[in-house]
């Protein structure tokens, strides 16, 4: 018998209508019904206890207005779209490793801006499924952590994530929620907010901020521009386009577990509902990407961006085996980026692919040297954390002097295939023979 069924059996004699009020009073006195009591909504005097709930289309329309509104930033020059450009797969529109923000628009961030397209409505909540018994621990390894939003998966809800850039000192740099709400109250669409949420919406800071982030969430979930599925590869899957010889070779290398092995993490099979692939498994991996000297924070030798275990995420700080893990991004629109990986270390897609192939074959090519002239392998992690970097899966299963998983020509073919994942494919015009 489960605990719930046992409790139900115990309480059954008291659930008759005549005795139920007595039971409720007793449980309330013991604090057992605290979670069932109506929540007392703290709100400003004169503000209604609940705000109206606009329909999804209204929310999305307001969210879109906010997404492109530069006046919501402290500098007055930065919007969500400044870093998440629709023409670049809702990723950065430039080649900067990390974007600039802050009160004057000149403050450098510490991580590359992730793209928002395709994954926001499909990302699972953050979880780590581990071996459940001693025998499983002896015969199986834990699955990698999975899910959550941002490079470190620290947000499980899109409206929570949407609010973070508004307050981040390196991004839109509002000093508080009240600053955001004050700017919203002056926005060109402020009257639309009042019409949707009530005339007093801006009088309660927390609920106005929550309304704003839910509007952003709705726009990002519902607007079809975030999930276009109109790349050349999508057309190929639908039988409406043919891949070139190089693109086909790249596709096979991408999928081959003994070659590129890219599809092990960037899943390329159609999903259960028949929809086209997202090219991510939403899991986390420690790839040992080289330190980027172009990030100002890295001038401090004691500073490390450890992904899942800090510094932005703090709830997993005790898990040393998580250090250096970052979420696998989708590869859709990857060729439109100007910088790759969480720290924007590479500015060429070919170099990004080549790093996978040569990381452990030619470490001196990719990593810095210490004051003794020695190559510092996995130099963007503290020495104690470097043993957690992935060494097992191809192409990371080779030692110096071994044959690379991909040669130069094959690397170029993989890049040719990756370019077929960009949105906006237009089939060549058919020239009439008449």
């Amino acid at each position: 018998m489960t605990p719930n069924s046992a409790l139900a059996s115990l309480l059954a004699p008291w659930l008759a209508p005549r005795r139920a009020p007595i039971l409720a009073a007793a449980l309330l006195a013991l604090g057992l019904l605290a979670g069932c009591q109506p929540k007392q909504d703290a709100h400003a005097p004169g503000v209604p206890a609940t705000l109206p709930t606009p329909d999804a289309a209204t929310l999305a329309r307001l969210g879109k207005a906010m997404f492109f509104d530069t006046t919501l930033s402290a500098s007055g020059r930065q919007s969500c779209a400044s870093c998440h450009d629709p023409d670049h797969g809702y990723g950065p529109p430039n080649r900067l490793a990390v974007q600039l923000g802050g009160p004057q628009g000149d403050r450098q961030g510490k991580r590359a801006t992730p793209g928002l397209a395709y994954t926001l409505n499909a990302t699972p909540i953050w979880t780590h499924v581990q071996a459940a018994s001693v025998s499983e621990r002896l015969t199986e390894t834990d699955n990698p952590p999975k899910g959550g939003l941002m490079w470190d998966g620290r947000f499980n809800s899109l409206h929570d994530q949407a609010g973070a850039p508004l307050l981040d000192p390196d991004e839109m740099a509002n000093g508080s929620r009240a600053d955001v709400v004050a700017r919203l109250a002056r926005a060109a669409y402020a009257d639309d907010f009042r019409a949707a949420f009530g005339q007093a919406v801006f009088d309660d800071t927390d609920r106005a901020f929550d309304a704003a982030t839910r509007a952003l969430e709705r726009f990002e979930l519902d607007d079809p521009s975030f999930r276009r599925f109109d790349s050349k590869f999508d057309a190929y899957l639908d039988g409406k386009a043919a891949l070139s010889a190089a693109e086909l070779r790249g596709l096979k290398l991408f999928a081959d577990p003994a070659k590129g092995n890219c599809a092990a993490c960037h899943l390329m099979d159609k999903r259960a509902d028949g929809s086209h692939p997202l090219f991510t498994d939403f899991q986390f991996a420690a790839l040992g990407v080289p330190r980027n000297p172009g990030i100002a924070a890295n001038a401090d030798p004691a500073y490390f961006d450890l992904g899942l275990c800090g510094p932005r995420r703090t709830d997993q700080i005790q898990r040393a085996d998580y250090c250096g893990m970052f979420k696998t991004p989708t590869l859709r629109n990857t060729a439109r980026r100007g910088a790759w990986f969480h720290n924007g270390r590479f500015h060429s897609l070919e170099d990004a692919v080549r790093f996978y192939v040569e990381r452990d074959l030619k470490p001196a090519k990719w990593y810095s040297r210490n004051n003794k002239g020695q190559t510092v392998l996995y130099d963007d992690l503290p020495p104690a954390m470097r043993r957690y970097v992935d060494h097992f899966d191809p192409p990371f299963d080779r030692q110096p002097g071994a044959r690379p998983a991909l040669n130069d020509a094959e690397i170029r073919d993989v890049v040719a295939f990756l370019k077929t994942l960009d949105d906006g494919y237009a089939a060549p015009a058919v020239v009439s023979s008449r």
Side-chain angles (χ1 to χ4, degrees):
M1 179 179 293
T2 67
N4 285 341
S5 60
L7 179 61
S9 177
L10 178 65
L11 297 179
W14 291 90
L15 295 180
R18 182 168 56 88
R19 292 184 173 180
I22 301 173
L23 174 65
L27 292 179
L28 181 59
L30 293 173
L32 299 179
L33 287 186
C36 302
Q37 299 307 300
K39 184 179 179 180
Q40 297 302 313
D41 190 12
H43 56 276
V47 179
T50 58
L51 294 177
T53 303
D55 59 78
T58 298
L59 275 175
R61 186 171 65 253
L62 292 171
K64 183 174 184 178
M66 288 185 62
F67 194 90
F68 293 93
D69 186 1
T70 59
T71 71
L72 297 183
S73 64
S75 68
R77 300 190 298 273
Q78 186 176 38
S79 70
C80 302
S82 298
C83 299
H84 299 286
D85 183 359
D87 292 334
H88 290 79
Y90 283 97
N94 52 45
R95 292 176 53 80
L96 295 176
V98 291
Q99 299 302 300
L100 301 178
Q104 306 302 320
D106 58 357
R107 182 164 169 163
Q108 192 186 57
K110 298 179 179 66
R111 286 181 183 164
T113 298
L116 299 181
Y118 289 99
T119 58
L120 294 180
N121 68 335
T123 302
I125 63 171
W126 189 87
T127 187
H128 187 186
V129 178
Q130 303 179 62
S133 65
V134 173
S135 61
E136 283 186 8
R137 293 188 185 99
L138 293 174
T139 58
E140 301 178 18
T141 57
D142 290 343
N143 292 319
K146 181 177 183 177
L149 299 161
M150 309 291 274
W151 282 107
D152 55 14
R154 68 185 184 275
F155 295 110
N156 277 328
S157 70
L158 187 52
H159 60 271
D160 286 342
Q161 182 277 324
L166 291 164
L167 301 172
D168 193 310
D170 295 336
E171 298 186 55
M172 298 176 78
N174 287 283
S176 66
R177 289 183 167 200
D179 290 343
V180 176
V181 172
R183 289 188 165 91
L184 270 174
R186 297 191 297 268
Y189 47 89
D191 285 344
D192 294 331
F193 247 89
R194 294 185 181 97
F197 291 103
Q199 292 300 307
V201 58
F202 299 123
D203 294 343
D204 187 305
T205 294
D206 287 339
R207 286 193 295 161
F209 188 86
D210 183 69
T213 57
R214 289 186 183 278
L216 283 168
E217 175 183 49
R218 197 76 262 153
F219 166 60
E220 294 172 348
L221 289 176
D222 291 355
D223 196 285
S225 64
F226 285 88
R227 287 160 289 279
R228 292 172 53 173
F229 291 104
D230 62 352
S231 70
K232 185 176 184 180
F233 185 70
D234 291 307
Y236 167 75
L237 290 180
D238 291 335
K240 298 178 180 178
L243 299 184
S244 70
E247 292 164 350
L248 280 172
R249 291 194 301 267
L251 168 58
K252 293 178 181 178
L253 293 165
F254 184 96
D256 189 338
K259 299 292 288 181
N261 196 34
C262 315
C265 298
H266 299 282
L267 307 182
M268 58 182 299
D269 294 327
K270 285 189 176 182
R271 292 180 289 165
D273 62 359
S275 57
H276 288 187
L278 298 180
F279 288 91
T280 177
D281 60 4
F282 300 103
Q283 291 184 346
F284 290 78
L287 302 180
V289 177
R291 195 168 179 86
N292 187 352
I295 296 178
N298 285 342
D300 178 359
Y303 173 81
F304 293 98
D305 187 349
L306 301 179
L308 273 183
C309 69
R312 299 303 300 273
R313 182 168 186 164
T314 58
D315 63 320
Q316 303 297 322
I317 198 169
Q318 300 302 322
R319 291 294 303 260
D321 54 328
Y322 285 174
C323 292
M325 280 189 163
F326 294 87
K327 194 171 70 170
T328 301
T330 175
L331 292 182
R332 285 182 173 274
N333 295 301
T334 191
R336 290 188 170 176
R337 296 186 65 88
W340 283 265
F341 296 107
H342 70 277
N343 62 0
R345 175 62 175 78
F346 298 111
H347 293 275
S348 156
L349 182 54
E350 185 170 323
D351 280 348
V353 176
R354 192 178 301 279
F355 165 71
Y356 277 96
V357 175
E358 296 182 350
R359 186 194 73 180
D360 296 322
L361 299 179
K362 301 177 181 179
K365 177 178 178 179
W366 302 105
Y367 294 104
S368 60
R369 297 178 182 272
N370 60 23
N371 56 13
K372 297 180 180 180
Q374 300 166 323
T375 298
V376 182
L377 200 62
Y378 318 135
D379 60 0
D380 205 25
L381 291 170
M385 310 301 181
R386 292 170 188 167
R387 63 192 182 100
Y388 299 114
V389 170
D390 184 358
H391 295 97
F392 306 105
D393 300 317
F396 293 143
D397 60 344
R398 289 161 170 77
Q399 298 298 318
R403 183 176 179 179
L406 301 173
N407 61 35
D408 288 348
E410 290 171 329
I411 289 173
R412 290 191 292 271
D413 286 342
V414 170
V415 171
F417 167 67
L418 291 174
K419 290 180 179 179
T420 71
L421 304 181
D422 285 355
D423 289 344
Y425 171 71
V430 178
V431 179
S432 174
S433 58
R434 294 183 180 179

